[in-house]
Amino acid sequence: MQLADWTVLLVAAAAAGWVDAVVGGGGLIILPTLFLVAPGIAPQTALGTNKLAAFAGTSTAVITFARRVPMQWKVLIPGAVIAAITAACGAAAVSLIDRDLFIPLVMVVLVGVALFVTLRPSIGMTMATHPPTRRKVILVVALAAGLIGLYDGLLGPGTGTFLIITFATLLGTEFVRAAAMAKVINCGSNLGALLYLGATGHILWGLGAGMAVANVAGALVGSRMALAKGAGFVRIVLLVVVVVMVIRLGWQQFG
């Protein structure tokens, strides 16, 4: 690749790391850029290379959030393991999915998320008055990790966003803490898909390593901004990213 191609990809990876750290959805930046710069790349190779960068970024975000946000590690680590397993299964089943039906369904869900967050401005802005029971936390984290982890392996865009909305809505968690929890689960799903795609030879390791460094830089900035600016900032970015994801997926499907 030319130097200009590397520059474009590294900038895209840094931007994706920032977005992923705050609300998720960085895959919608990296994947189109990969196809633009390397139009002959196989879809699974693009996904695998993206997962290498994304795993590095989400790992960095987890470390950054964990220094400032209390984490229920005894619940989140098993959740991350579940997400890794289901994401690997999703990555293995990519060829079996009819994306002509799947992508419109994802778009409908994203529109629903945007409407829900807009019409319920209190969601994610403060912690619930009555914290959920440990049993409920375990159940919600396990189900979210399993189902959204599977989706991450199959398609991926908005995984972090779906996790944040799930935790904020069902557990009454404010957006910054929900983002911290989401990063742990997303780290697991990224690792699961990465291991499968790596084992099947679908990763460009040199390119992915360079993008991983840029993604880490973006994730550091994004996670620190989320911590510094709080739930209101995360809510605004979440809405913007969801709208952009709907437009991008719509263009990909119908444009």
Side-chain angles (χ1 to χ4, degrees), residues 78-102:
V81 173
I82 292 172
I85 294 170
T86 57
C89 293
V94 165
S95 61
L96 304 177
I97 299 300
D98 184 352
R99 296 198 172 195
D100 288 339
L101 297 177
F102 199 56

Side-chain angles (χ1 to χ4, degrees), residues 92-117:
V94 165
S95 61
L96 304 177
I97 299 300
D98 184 352
R99 296 198 172 195
D100 288 339
L101 297 177
F102 199 56
I103 290 178
L105 177 61
V106 173
M107 291 173 62
V108 170
V109 174
L110 286 170
V111 170
V113 167
L115 290 173
F116 183 78
V117 174

Side-chain angles (χ1 to χ4, degrees), residues 228-250:
K229 295 183 179 294
F233 170 74
V234 175
R235 180 177 185 272
I236 292 171
V237 176
L238 186 149
L239 284 170
V240 171
V241 169
V242 166
V243 170
V244 171
M245 280 194 287
V246 170
I247 294 172
R248 177 66 185 85
L249 287 171

